[in-house]
């Protein structure tokens, strides 16, 4: 009986700790949105969308809506992994971190993620980084080297190599084509990259 009580207490403590981590992450995102609302509405919206994804994932998980979705991962697992990726594009993202978020082994998670999303975790992360780089290139004046580092590429050449593979041209040319002489951005702020493009 004592062992059961200790186990229940440890489980409750782990749940409380997880709740606080999630609550703190959502609070930071909402605060970022509040701070950016007057300056950068796109950044504010992106923060609110990520916070919404996290909350929705928690609601679905806590309400028991955690049965397998297409490919064997639950909706809350996919939502939480996507939210984590979007929030951490600027730093290294390891398969061990993603599989821990989904509470699966790395091998099982990688296989099921590809079935559910249509591309490997690595390809998905690369695609999201390229999409964020496109967004930054036409909504700000940061240099390509700064953008490369801010979205998690090792350097500018790493960004250029992957960008050219997907878009067939250099980031500099792509950026120039979408700017007017006064540097006002033209076209969509965050182009979508197909699975086939990012996986090549």
């Amino acid at each position: 009986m004592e062992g059961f009580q200790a186990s229940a207490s440890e489980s409750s403590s782990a749940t409380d700790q997880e709740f606080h981590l999630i609550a703190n992450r959502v609070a930071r995102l909402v605060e970022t949105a509040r701070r950016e609302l007057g300056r950068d509405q796109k950044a504010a919206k992106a923060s609110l969308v990520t916070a919404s994804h996290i909350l929705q994932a928690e609601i679905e998980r806590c309400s028991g809506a955690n049965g397998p979705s297409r490919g064997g991962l639950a909706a809350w697992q996919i939502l939480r992994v996507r939210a984590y990726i979007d929030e951490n594009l600027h730093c290294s993202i390891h398969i061990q971190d993603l599989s821990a978020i989904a509470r699966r082994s790395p091998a099982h998670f990688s296989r099921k993620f590809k079935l559910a999303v249509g591309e490997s975790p690595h390809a998905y992360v690369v695609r999201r980084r390229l999409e964020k780089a496109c967004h930054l290139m036409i909504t700000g004046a940061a240099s390509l080297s700064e953008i490369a580092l801010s979205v998690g590429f090792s350097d500018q050449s790493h960004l250029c190599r992957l960008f050219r593979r997907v878009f067939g041209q250099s980031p500099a040319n792509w950026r120039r084509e979408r700017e007017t002489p006064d540097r006002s951005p033209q076209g969509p702020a965050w182009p979508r990259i197909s699975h086939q493009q990012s996986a090549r």
Side-chain angles (χ1 to χ4, degrees):
M1 186 66 174
E2 289 178 3
F4 174 79
Q5 288 175 333
S7 177
S9 175
E10 289 171 6
S11 176
S12 175
S13 175
T15 301
D16 288 345
Q17 185 178 10
E18 183 176 2
F19 170 79
H20 287 299
L21 287 172
I22 292 166
N24 285 337
R25 188 185 306 172
V26 170
R28 287 197 308 271
L29 288 165
V30 171
E31 174 58 24
T32 298
R34 185 195 66 77
R35 193 172 58 246
E36 296 293 336
L37 197 56
R39 294 183 300 180
D40 187 345
Q41 290 192 349
K42 288 191 176 100
K45 182 179 178 181
S47 292
L48 289 175
V49 167
T50 302
S52 175
H53 285 171
I54 293 171
L55 288 173
Q56 187 61 40
E58 285 306 298
I59 289 168
E60 290 183 8
R61 185 178 67 83
C62 294
S63 66
N66 57 357
S69 64
R70 179 174 63 90
L73 287 179
W76 71 264
Q77 293 171 310
I78 295 171
L79 286 170
R80 187 182 285 184
V81 166
R82 284 177 164 167
Y84 176 87
I85 289 170
D86 284 346
E87 193 179 344
N88 292 278
L89 288 175
H90 60 285
C91 56
S92 296
I93 297 175
H94 303 288
I95 193 67
Q96 289 84 355
D97 300 325
L98 301 181
S99 60
I101 290 165
R103 299 178 184 173
R104 293 290 181 268
S105 70
H108 180 265
F109 168 76
S110 295
R111 188 169 62 253
K112 296 300 184 181
F113 184 92
K114 186 169 185 178
L115 284 173
V117 178
E119 58 189 331
S120 70
H122 173 73
Y124 180 83
V125 170
V126 170
R127 177 163 63 87
R128 295 300 291 152
R129 284 183 167 145
L130 287 173
E131 289 172 351
K132 182 67 179 290
C134 289
H135 170 74
L136 294 175
M137 278 191 282
I138 62 176
T139 57
S143 69
L144 289 178
S145 60
E146 291 172 321
I147 290 172
L149 294 176
S150 73
V151 299
F153 292 117
S154 56
D155 52 30
Q156 181 176 335
S157 64
H158 187 198
L159 165 64
C160 291
R161 185 169 66 253
L162 291 172
F163 197 96
R164 188 181 292 277
R165 185 185 304 169
V166 170
F167 291 99
Q169 60 181 322
S170 70
N173 287 341
W174 186 92
R175 189 182 209 177
R176 270 194 300 273
E177 289 177 359
R178 283 152 183 82
E179 290 178 345
T180 58
D182 66 352
R183 297 190 61 81
S184 299
Q186 297 292 314
W190 200 309
R192 300 298 298 177
I193 302 170
S194 71
H195 296 171
Q196 291 78 13
Q197 284 178 306
S198 64
R200 285 186 306 188

